[in-house]
Amino acid sequence: MINSELMKLLESIDILDAIRDSVRYQLQKIQGIGKTSEGRDWYQELPQIIKEKFDNYKTDYEHLSFVLNSDQGKIVSEMSKGYYYWRLIRSACTTYRNDLIDYDQQLLQEFNLKETDAISDNEVLNRCIGVLEQHVVEK
């Protein structure tokens, strides 16, 4: 049984949007590997077992993205089946948050712009990650 705190994340529009954005961002990063020569070279140098794992993650994130963009009933049904997709979401949200922090720092350094809480300290994303960190591992 999935922890009820995780399922409550799906009920909040702002958190669900943050989850969708995070998964979309992670999927774009994965898909972007093949769009540059450096990325293609990196991928080709991976051992076969790692390539297969990488390809499986890509497929899983594509399916997860599809699920998260479905109607609420399908989202709840799929997400209540197990913890695997929740672990993917935790990974995507953490990557997204860390990259947003880095991006905000780059803006600060390059253009002397002030840090923006919506970017570097996104309250909704942080709240979501907090719940995921507490409940995403099966006991």
Side-chain angles (χ1 to χ4, degrees), residues 1-49:
M1 180 76 166
I2 300 294
N3 186 289
S4 63
E5 291 296 313
L6 290 175
M7 298 308 287
K8 285 180 185 174
L9 293 176
L10 302 175
E11 296 171 4
S12 171
I13 294 297
D14 57 343
I15 290 181
L16 185 56
D17 285 345
I19 290 171
R20 285 178 179 140
D21 290 346
S22 298
V23 168
R24 190 173 319 133
Y25 179 77
Q26 188 83 334
L27 187 55
Q28 286 174 346
K29 285 185 79 158
I30 290 170
Q31 291 171 336
I33 296 297
K35 294 181 180 179
T36 66
S37 59
E38 295 87 6
R40 288 188 296 275
D41 291 345
W42 172 84
Y43 180 81
Q44 290 305 315
E45 293 174 9
L46 293 174
Q48 187 59 37
I49 193 167

Side-chain angles (χ1 to χ4, degrees), residues 22 89-99 125 129 133:
S22 298
I89 289 172
R90 180 185 65 180
S91 176
C93 287
T94 302
T95 298
Y96 191 44
R97 179 188 61 191
N98 293 344
D99 286 1
L125 192 55
I129 291 170
E133 290 292 329

